[in-house]
């Protein structure tokens, strides 16, 4: 068989310079568009659709302060720190029953004043108890349930805590359900399991449509009042697990909407890094909420 003939040309005709420039510019534009489409994004983790969750900064005064006047002075000082430059967040103080009305008057409309607990019963022979109805009658909208000190010192069970949550929801109020593991449980890598049990038992019987009146506070027991703080990365990991548990209980929409706060020796020095985590939506602050200057700095956290 004959080999194929190769045609050779001794002269070539080149297109005009103007045509080459137009082609080069067009090609550059196409390549730039494609590069932009595949370029990595360096946006903040919080600049996502999930950023719709409004931050929630709250203080738990526990068995403090000792007088009504001290409560008024402290509440007023905290409220005065909320100004035009304060991040757009819900702010609440959970205070002893006897100081609720005085503190509410002192802070005005700048923040909410809630109760540190509630009895799941409505009325009857329950000496020393305070019902959701009683709290609602004096303007309270939020109450804590399941705080570790109530669980360990006062023996409140998951069933009792669930009763608190349900009663508050039934009365048109809102609840902050506290969950968290002990140091022993944390060291055995049981944080996720403990939180799963407390979430599932605490929220039992609460419908998805009522979850907009629920917030979760993850408080590692080993970090409460000890000065120890879970690193932002550790706290983020557990918050992420909690959100996955809620998705499993309800659905992803409910999980994405749920505000999950961190509680455990939050300080002015730790709040900014904690609030920079994508699944940490606020803080439940203990000791630092009794110091107006410290709590004011936490309220005025600096988004990173």
């Amino acid at each position: 068989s004959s080999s194929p003939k190769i045609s050779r040309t001794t002269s070539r005709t080149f297109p005009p310079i103007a045509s080459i420039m137009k082609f080069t510019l067009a090609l550059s534009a196409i390549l730039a568009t494609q590069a932009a489409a595949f370029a990595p994004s360096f946006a903040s983790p919080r600049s996502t659709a999930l950023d719709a969750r409004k931050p929630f900064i709250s203080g738990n005064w526990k068995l403090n302060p000792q007088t009504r006047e001290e409560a008024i002075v402290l509440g007023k000082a905290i409220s005065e720190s909320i100004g035009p430059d304060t991040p757009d967040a819900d702010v609440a103080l959970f205070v002893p029953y006897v100081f609720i009305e005085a503190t509410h008057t002192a802070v005005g409309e700048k923040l909410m004043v809630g109760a540190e607990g509630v009895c799941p019963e409505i009325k009857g022979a329950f000496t020393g108890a305070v019902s959701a109805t009683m709290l609602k009658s004096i303007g309270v909208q939020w109450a804590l349930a399941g705080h570790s000190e109530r669980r360990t010192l006062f023996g409140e069970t998951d069933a009792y805590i669930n009763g608190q949550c349900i009663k508050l929801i039934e009365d048109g109020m809102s609840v902050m359900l506290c969950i968290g593991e002990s140091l022993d449980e944390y060291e055995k890598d049981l944080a996720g399991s403990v939180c799963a049990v407390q979430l599932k038992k605490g929220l039992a019987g609460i419908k998805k449509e009522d979850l907009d009146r629920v917030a979760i506070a993850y408080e590692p027991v080993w970090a409460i009042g000890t000065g120890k703080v879970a690193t932002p990365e550790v706290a983020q990991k557990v918050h992420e697990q909690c959100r996955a548990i809620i998705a499993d209980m309800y659905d992803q929409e409910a999980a994405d909407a749920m505000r999950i706060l961190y509680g455990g020796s939050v300080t002015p020095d730790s709040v900014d890094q904690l609030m920079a985590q994508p699944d940490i939506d606020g803080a439940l602050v203990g000791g630092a909420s009794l110091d107006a200057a410290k709590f004011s700095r936490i309220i005025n956290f600096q988004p990173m």
Side-chain angles (χ1 to χ4, degrees):
S1 59
S2 60
S3 59
K5 295 181 179 180
I6 301 176
S7 174
R8 301 181 182 277
T9 307
T10 57
S11 64
R12 295 178 184 175
T13 301
F14 294 96
I17 296 296
S19 298
I20 295 175
M21 292 181 65
K22 287 181 180 179
F23 175 76
T24 302
L25 289 172
L27 180 61
S28 298
I30 293 171
L31 292 175
T33 301
Q34 291 178 338
F38 291 98
S41 171
F42 297 99
S44 165
R46 295 191 68 87
S47 60
T48 66
L50 303 188
D51 198 33
R53 295 192 297 266
K54 189 176 184 180
F56 195 165
I57 305 297
S58 58
N60 176 19
W61 284 0
K62 306 186 180 185
L63 191 59
N64 301 289
Q66 297 306 300
T67 68
R68 178 177 180 274
E69 287 305 314
E70 288 177 297
I72 292 172
V73 171
L74 179 57
K76 187 175 182 180
I78 290 171
S79 70
E80 289 175 347
S81 73
I82 301 175
D85 296 328
T86 299
D88 183 20
D90 285 332
V91 181
L93 290 172
F94 294 98
V95 310
Y97 297 128
V98 294
F99 298 148
I100 288 175
E101 289 188 283
T103 306
H104 187 272
T105 300
V107 303
E109 301 301 319
K110 284 192 172 183
L111 55 87
M112 299 175 287
V113 178
E116 296 178 12
V118 65
C119 175
E121 303 295 338
I122 299 176
K123 60 181 179 180
F126 301 97
T127 302
V130 175
S131 72
T133 306
M134 293 175 182
L135 293 172
K136 188 176 182 179
S137 73
I138 59 171
V140 173
Q141 286 299 317
W142 280 87
L144 298 177
H147 192 280
S148 61
E149 290 157 5
R150 300 300 305 182
R151 293 176 187 266
T152 58
L153 300 179
F154 295 88
E156 293 185 0
T157 64
D158 287 316
Y160 186 87
I161 293 163
N162 176 240
Q164 293 175 307
C165 294
I166 289 176
K167 185 53 62 180
L168 287 164
I169 296 297
E170 286 179 348
D171 273 21
M173 301 169 68
S174 299
V175 60
M176 185 177 292
L177 173 63
C178 304
I179 61 172
E181 80 285 356
S182 65
L183 179 60
D184 182 59
E185 291 166 334
Y186 171 73
E187 291 177 341
K188 292 179 179 177
D189 198 26
L190 294 174
S193 300
V194 171
C195 290
V197 170
Q198 293 178 346
L199 276 172
K200 291 179 179 180
K201 290 187 175 182
L203 296 178
I206 295 179
K207 300 176 182 178
K208 177 186 173 181
E209 53 263 36
D210 291 323
L211 290 179
D212 60 343
R213 288 186 281 122
V214 176
I216 305 299
Y218 165 63
E219 41 163 26
V221 179
W222 49 271
I224 298 175
T226 64
K228 297 180 180 180
V229 182
T231 65
E233 294 74 22
V234 168
Q236 162 60 23
K237 180 181 177 181
V238 181
H239 279 235
E240 189 175 11
Q241 291 175 321
C242 290
R243 204 171 299 285
I245 294 165
I246 295 169
D248 182 61
M249 293 173 62
Y250 297 95
D251 58 28
Q252 192 59 50
E253 181 183 46
D256 289 344
M258 179 63 69
R259 291 188 291 182
I260 306 177
L261 289 65
Y262 174 76
S265 297
V266 178
T267 68
D269 294 329
S270 65
V271 66
D272 294 343
Q273 286 188 314
L274 287 167
M275 291 300 294
Q277 304 305 309
D279 286 292
I280 297 180
D281 305 310
L284 177 59
V285 184
S289 70
L290 298 172
D291 183 312
K294 289 181 179 180
F295 194 53
S296 297
R297 172 62 180 84
I298 292 171
I299 292 172
N300 290 281
F301 66 91
Q302 302 298 311
M304 298 177 69

